[in-house]
């Protein structure tokens, strides 16, 4: 009987310790798993980066620079001493001079809490970030006695866009109606400035364009390269195909002829024609019929006037009813004249060599004039000719060695412009591989 009781007690103890050990092991394993899960969660949690700074460690205060406000006044409000501000001013001169701070630009302060005593919170400024524009920013750092300055860029996302529009009144009107970027109109004017007379576009003209749109988060910040364009003007499709020949990317017509011509279509932008070439025009001031062998472009006073071609200035000065006038001699027996100027660009004088597109003067109303405009004239071997009807000779076309590569790029771009599937979406032009 004694042996049986002893044996039963021993079995009970073994069972008890087994249960106890298993429970402890289970708790230990469970704690280990929970600990591992927490560590894994902490490791997987990405930092909340704002301007590449871990924002979770700071209190952020954002504002904009007010008119007349200096960076010193802003920093003083965050407890930065006059001595530190002076050191910052000297340290930033080579990177970003503090005088370049502009009103209405945003800034963000990164404030760290040192301690809390009762209801009092003691803090200090670690960083102040100033946005130069929508992409670029400057980081000023303050750590004990040290000052740091660094430049940064927000990540920019590039989205390829294909858009089209029909013109009812003007290019700018079509751009606004379709809510396209305004910068696109300027790009189109630059690309087609030798080929299309934008003062003569008609209702029903239309265009299709492929371009890169730049976004920071979801905010539009600008456009990148125009990858191709088809402009239908007076029933004719005029293509603009980008291609790199030599060390320069230019735009070319579908047959490989350069869109760049000997003369620009007009010497200024964003205006309207108020009077055309005529041998019998009623003069707006003298009220008599007389020849007007030029084109009048109505434009605000001060509008930039550009040389339509390379040449040499042969006349600069007062020209009676023409007011302040410039004349430029070009190759091929051509001379261009620019009248009623408010003034001349810096460095322009008789004998000055000018390049196509170079700023030469400003629209004015000098001489006999009813308002600010440019009277633009062209002579060929001394005979006046209509500036709107000058025969345009293209510059150097696509070379023979580049022809196959150009045609491959052209076919891909035109397919994309037409809404078809291209052999390849062209995203670079430095080294074209024909597939």
């Amino acid at each position: 009987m004694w042996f049986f009781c002893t044996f039963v007690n021993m079995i009970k103890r073994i069972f008890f310790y087994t249960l106890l050990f298993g429970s402890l092991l289970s708790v230990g394993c469970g704690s280990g798993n929970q600990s591992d899960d927490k560590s894994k969660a902490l490791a997987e949690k990405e930092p909340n980066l704002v301007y590449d700074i871990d924002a979770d460690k700071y209190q952020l205060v954002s504002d904009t620079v007010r008119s007349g406000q200096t960076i010193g006044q802003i920093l003083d409000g965050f407890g930065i001493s006059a001595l530190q501000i002076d050191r910052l001013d000297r340290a930033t001169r080579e990177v970003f001079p503090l005088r370049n701070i502009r009103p209405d630009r945003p800034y963000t302060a990164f404030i760290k809490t040192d301690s809390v005593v009762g209801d009092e919170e003691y803090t200090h400024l670690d960083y102040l970030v100033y946005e130069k524009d929508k992409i670029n920013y400057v980081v000023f750092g303050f750590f004990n006695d040290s000052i740091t300055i660094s430049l940064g860029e927000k990540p920019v996302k590039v989205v390829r866009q294909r858009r089209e529009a029909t013109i009812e009144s003007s290019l700018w009107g079509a751009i606004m109606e379709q809510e396209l970027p305004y910068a696109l109109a300027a790009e189109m004017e630059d690309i087609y400035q030798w080929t299309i007379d934008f003062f003569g576009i008609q209702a029903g003209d239309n265009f299709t364009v492929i371009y890169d749109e730049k976004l920071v988060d979801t905010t539009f910040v600008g456009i990148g390269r125009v990858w191709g364009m088809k402009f239908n003007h007076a029933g004719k499709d005029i293509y603009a195909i980008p291609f790199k020949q030599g060390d320069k990317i230019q735009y070319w017509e579908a047959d490989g002829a350069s869109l760049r011509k000997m003369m620009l279509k007009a010497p200024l932008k964003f205006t309207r024609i108020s009077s055309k070439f005529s041998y019998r025009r009623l003069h707006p001031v003298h009220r008599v019929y007389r020849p007007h062998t030029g084109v009048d472009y109505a434009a605000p006073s001060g509008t930039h006037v550009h040389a339509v071609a390379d040449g040499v200035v042969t006349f600069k000065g007062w020209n009676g009813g023409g007011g302040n006038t410039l004349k430029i001699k070009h190759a091929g027996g051509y001379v261009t004249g620019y009248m009623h100027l408010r003034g001349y660009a810096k460095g322009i004088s008789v004998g000055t060599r000018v390049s196509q597109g170079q700023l030469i003067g400003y629209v004015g109303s000098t001489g006999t004039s009813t308002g600010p405009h440019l009277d633009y004239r062209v002579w060929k071997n001394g005979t006046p000719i209509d500036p709107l009807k000058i025969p345009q000779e293209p510059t150097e076309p696509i070379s023979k060695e580049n022809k196959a590569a150009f045609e491959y790029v052209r076919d891909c771009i035109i397919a994309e412009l037409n809404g078809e599937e291209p052999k390849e979406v062209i995203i670079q032009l430095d080294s074209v591989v024909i597939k």
Side-chain angles (χ1 to χ4, degrees):
M1 185 69 180
W2 172 83
F3 175 78
F4 177 76
C5 289
T6 303
F7 177 77
V8 170
N9 288 333
M10 184 176 68
I11 292 299
K12 287 180 179 179
R13 286 193 188 99
I14 292 172
F15 182 71
F16 171 77
Y17 286 121
T18 300
L19 287 176
L20 179 62
F21 179 76
S23 299
L24 290 173
L25 185 62
S26 175
V27 170
C29 291
S31 299
N33 288 336
Q34 290 175 2
S35 177
D36 289 346
D37 289 343
K38 287 180 181 178
S39 299
K40 188 176 180 181
L42 288 172
E44 288 177 350
K45 182 184 177 184
E46 294 184 1
N48 176 25
L49 296 180
V50 178
Y51 304 108
D52 275 340
I53 302 169
D54 189 351
D56 290 337
K57 298 178 180 179
Y58 297 95
Q59 173 192 350
L60 271 59
V61 176
S62 296
D63 205 342
T64 56
V65 181
R66 295 175 179 83
S67 179
Q69 191 176 34
T70 66
I71 190 70
Q73 293 169 335
I74 294 171
L75 292 171
D76 178 66
F78 290 109
I80 301 300
S81 68
L83 179 62
Q84 285 178 298
I85 293 170
D86 180 64
R87 288 177 57 202
L88 177 69
D89 180 49
R90 284 183 276 111
T92 59
R93 286 174 188 173
E94 297 299 322
V95 181
F96 180 76
L98 297 185
R99 65 176 180 273
N100 290 345
I101 299 289
R102 295 289 181 265
D104 299 322
R105 296 304 310 158
Y107 66 84
T108 301
F110 290 74
I111 300 169
K112 180 170 281 187
T113 300
D114 292 327
S115 60
V116 179
V117 178
D119 294 333
E120 289 288 331
E121 187 176 74
Y122 295 89
T123 63
H124 69 270
L125 179 72
D126 268 5
Y127 300 100
L128 184 83
V129 180
Y130 168 79
E131 291 192 11
K132 294 164 59 179
D133 50 47
K134 292 180 180 179
I135 299 175
N136 300 283
Y137 57 86
V138 188
V139 182
F140 305 113
F142 305 90
F143 302 94
N144 299 323
D145 291 331
S146 66
I147 290 174
T148 62
I149 307 100
S150 61
L151 303 178
E153 292 183 6
K154 296 179 182 180
V156 178
K157 181 182 178 182
V158 176
V159 179
R160 195 179 183 97
Q161 296 281 10
R162 176 188 175 275
R163 301 292 297 274
E164 51 189 19
T166 298
I167 295 169
E168 299 298 334
S169 57
S170 68
L171 174 62
W172 279 90
I175 291 287
M176 294 173 65
E177 185 178 330
Q178 295 298 317
E179 298 183 349
L180 297 173
Y182 293 158
L184 198 56
E187 285 288 322
M188 293 170 69
E189 293 244 7
D190 284 342
I191 291 169
Y192 285 118
Q193 61 185 310
W194 300 272
T195 311
I196 296 176
D197 177 12
F198 283 96
F199 305 107
I201 55 178
Q202 306 163 4
D205 287 356
N206 58 82
F207 63 85
T208 305
V209 59
I210 300 166
Y211 66 97
D212 284 339
E213 187 174 74
K214 295 180 179 180
L215 302 173
V216 170
D217 296 324
T218 57
T219 302
F220 172 81
V221 295
I223 66 172
R225 179 169 303 285
V226 172
W227 287 103
M229 200 178 307
K230 178 175 68 174
F231 201 109
N232 184 278
H233 176 52
K236 179 184 176 184
D237 286 336
I238 306 171
Y239 286 93
I241 309 297
F243 187 78
K244 187 174 185 179
Q245 181 159 277
D247 59 353
K248 199 172 181 181
I249 293 175
Q250 298 181 50
Y251 290 88
W252 312 78
E253 297 189 50
D255 61 359
S258 175
L259 280 173
R260 183 182 292 269
K261 304 296 192 293
M262 189 188 81
M263 284 190 175
L264 300 179
K265 275 288 187 180
L268 69 174
K269 298 178 181 178
F270 316 132
T271 60
R272 64 181 178 84
I273 292 176
S274 56
S275 181
K276 293 185 178 182
F277 186 97
S278 172
Y279 279 102
R280 194 173 186 273
R281 184 194 71 157
L282 181 64
H283 195 280
V285 175
H286 300 298
R287 309 306 297 172
V288 295
Y289 287 95
R290 59 172 60 173
H292 180 256
T293 54
V295 173
D296 286 349
Y297 292 100
S301 181
T303 299
H304 288 189
V305 178
H306 304 272
V308 296
D310 297 348
V312 178
V313 176
T314 58
F315 180 87
K316 172 190 174 184
W318 188 261
N319 186 29
N324 292 327
T325 299
L326 274 177
K327 289 185 179 181
I328 301 174
K329 184 180 179 181
H330 311 280
Y334 287 98
V335 172
T336 55
Y338 312 81
M339 301 163 66
H340 304 299
L341 298 173
R342 188 178 79 179
Y344 310 99
K346 186 178 180 181
I348 297 297
S349 59
V350 173
T352 301
R353 296 197 66 85
V354 296
S355 302
Q356 187 180 66
Q358 180 178 333
L359 175 65
I360 56 173
Y362 307 91
V363 168
S365 188
T366 57
T368 306
S369 170
T370 57
H373 72 285
L374 175 72
D375 185 342
Y376 170 54
R377 306 199 176 197
V378 181
W379 296 267
K380 174 70 179 289
N381 297 325
T383 302
I385 61 175
D386 188 346
L388 301 179
K389 297 179 180 178
I390 298 173
Q392 292 284 61
E393 295 297 327
T395 56
E396 182 184 0
I398 292 291
S399 62
K400 289 182 179 179
E401 56 267 31
N402 288 331
K403 186 176 180 182
F406 168 76
E407 289 178 348
Y408 177 77
V409 171
R410 175 200 64 193
D411 292 347
C412 291
I413 295 293
I414 288 179
E416 191 175 357
L417 283 168
N418 291 336
E420 302 166 358
E421 187 71 28
K423 293 180 182 177
E424 176 188 354
V425 175
I426 303 296
I427 59 173
Q428 63 85 27
L429 297 165
D430 289 325
S431 56
V432 178
V433 179
I434 300 175
K435 296 181 182 178

